[in-house]
Amino acid sequence: MNIGIVCYPTFGGSGVVATELAKGLANRGHTLHILSYARPARLDSFRTDITYHEVDLSSYPLFEYPPYDLALANMMVNLIQFEKLDILHVHYAIPHATSAYLAKQILNSKASKVPVITTLHGTDITLIGSDPTYKQVVDFSINQSDGVTAVSEYLRDETYRLFDIKKDIKVIPNFIDLDRFKKSKKEHFKRAICPDGEKVVTHVSNFREVKRVPDVIETFSHVLTNGVKAKLLMVGDGPDRSKAELKCRELGMCDHVRFLGKQEQVEEVLSISDLFLIPSGSETFGLAALEAMSCSVPVVSSNIGGLPEVNIHGVTGYLCELGDVQAMGEYSTKILTDEKLHAKMSKAARERAETFEMDAIVTEYEDYYEEIRAQLA
Ligand code: GMT
């Protein structure tokens, strides 16, 4: 098949899922076209079977905000016509599903068509998508897609609750490359960070408000207060980084926390980690938790959204009430100080990650493409 994939180019979340899916599909002999406003972070090497198309935003003196959704729709029309796409798969509803609808309408007038699939990822539904500023357009655009998928059961249910969706939403969970995300020996790295054999606690995110990074710092402060010798590695960057840094200063623990910024090889940091923290206030799946688990790292998380579909309480880590940093601190201490428990949870985390193995889930998408194409034939 000739497949068009539209995504955000960002380091985490939907951009990663879309790009890895494109690679997985290309490995099976499909031809892929990726559309975005910048080269996706995970599209890191040249391949003849994946072409990246950068959406060109011509500026014009009248445009304070150049209309990205129109430029994207225009590029979709061109690719569908000239590259003869068999399927257009958009990730994150805003504005991608709307641009796809517009492209379809334009093509109808040219007696040409292509099935459009929208994959819902998270805040396109739970936060910004259901905001009154966008809600009507998002609702309409999802309903106009030929196929709709969501990355967790929680997200599917939320979409039905928040919008008036007439379509079946198929749950296809996020996936993991088990060969890339596995514990590897990085002893030199661990010694450099923890010269006195401290435990390593890690957090990875885009440091947006929903990630509740100050909760990570407070949870870790409980771990230190409980007498555990540990270092906290904060990976990523974003608007709340300075809040987190301030919290470290307030709690007098700057010597125990390292802010590493954005990292391309996050699996290397996970390989030296003993525990992963993800106390998010909203999380439809929690790909970062899955990446940690795949590297055999137990997870302490909030019990919000889709996280319980990934992290199993008492098995792969622990789930806590939102904002309960005391409980998160106690559970973290338990995992870090009980070697047997740590070994058991590390093994269970990896086994759980194996149920989200990439190949099986790429097959689910492939089968879904065929199903939608058959319906429209
Ligand atoms: O929805 C977002 O905030 C962004 C999105 C992304 O593009 O990074 O993240 C969401 O999609 C990820 C991939 O499906 C999920 O693993 C994240 O849980 C989800 N984020 C939220 O729900 C906050």
Side-chain angles (χ1 to χ4, degrees), residues 104-355:
K104 258 177 40 164
Q105 292 303 107
I106 295 168
L107 287 160
N108 276 347
S109 68
K110 298 177 193 286
S112 171
K113 61 178 182 184
V114 70
V116 170
I117 291 176
T118 298
T119 289
L120 309 172
H121 277 275
T123 50
D124 47 347
I125 296 301
T126 55
L127 289 175
I128 191 70
S130 43
D131 185 285
T133 321
Y134 298 110
K135 189 171 179 184
Q136 303 264 19
V137 175
V138 174
D139 190 305
F140 176 82
S141 307
I142 294 173
N143 275 308
Q144 293 299 321
S145 298
D146 300 300
V148 184
T149 77
V151 298
S152 64
E153 290 180 17
Y154 165 80
L155 182 58
R156 178 198 54 203
D157 297 347
E158 279 298 278
T159 309
Y160 283 130
R161 188 177 72 80
L162 293 166
F163 296 90
D164 184 19
I165 302 297
K166 309 276 192 296
K167 302 229 139 244
D168 278 346
I169 301 177
K170 184 174 174 65
V171 175
I172 303 184
N174 288 332
F175 53 83
I176 190 85
D177 178 346
L178 294 164
D179 287 332
R180 174 171 179 175
F181 285 89
K182 65 177 179 217
K183 203 172 199 72
S184 58
K185 285 214 176 311
K186 296 280 167 212
E187 292 313 318
H188 56 290
F189 180 26
K190 183 147 191 168
R191 267 197 305 276
I193 301 249
C194 304
D196 299 322
E198 297 95 328
K199 301 285 182 194
V200 176
V201 179
T202 300
H203 170 76
V204 181
S205 78
N206 48 21
F207 288 56
R208 283 180 302 157
E209 200 181 344
V210 287
K211 303 296 174 181
R212 295 180 69 105
V213 278
D215 282 9
V216 175
I217 308 294
E218 284 196 35
T219 299
F220 185 67
S221 137
H222 282 284
V223 170
L224 292 181
T225 308
N226 285 342
V228 182
K229 287 195 175 2
K231 294 271 186 201
L232 173 63
L233 302 184
M234 299 289 281
V235 181
D237 213 329
D240 278 2
R241 175 169 171 171
S242 48
K243 260 193 207 168
E245 287 171 338
L246 177 65
K247 186 120 236 119
C248 286
R249 289 196 286 275
E250 281 170 4
L251 296 171
M253 46 191 260
C254 295
D255 289 348
H256 303 277
V257 185
R258 293 276 298 267
F259 286 85
L260 301 181
K262 289 180 184 168
Q263 297 287 326
E264 305 237 350
Q265 308 298 326
V266 76
E267 64 275 19
E268 294 187 358
V269 182
L270 293 170
S271 282
I272 64 156
S273 302
D274 299 293
L275 177 70
F276 188 79
L277 296 178
I278 173 165
S280 306
S282 172
E283 203 71 71
T284 55
F285 183 88
L287 189 60
L290 180 59
E291 290 178 344
M293 287 162 60
S294 189
C295 293
S296 307
V297 184
V299 172
V300 169
S301 69
S302 56
N303 59 3
I304 287 300
L307 280 167
E309 293 175 48
V310 180
N311 183 23
I312 310 298
H313 185 72
V315 179
T316 60
Y318 292 105
L319 294 156
C320 303
E321 292 298 323
L322 180 62
D324 191 348
V325 289
Q326 170 87 32
M328 291 189 214
E330 293 311 315
Y331 278 132
S332 299
T333 303
K334 193 170 158 174
I335 294 175
L336 293 171
T337 54
D338 182 338
E339 261 180 46
K340 265 195 185 157
L341 178 71
H342 186 270
K344 206 168 137 196
M345 285 191 159
S346 299
K347 187 164 175 285
R350 172 72 187 185
E351 283 167 3
R352 178 79 188 139
E354 283 166 4
T355 66

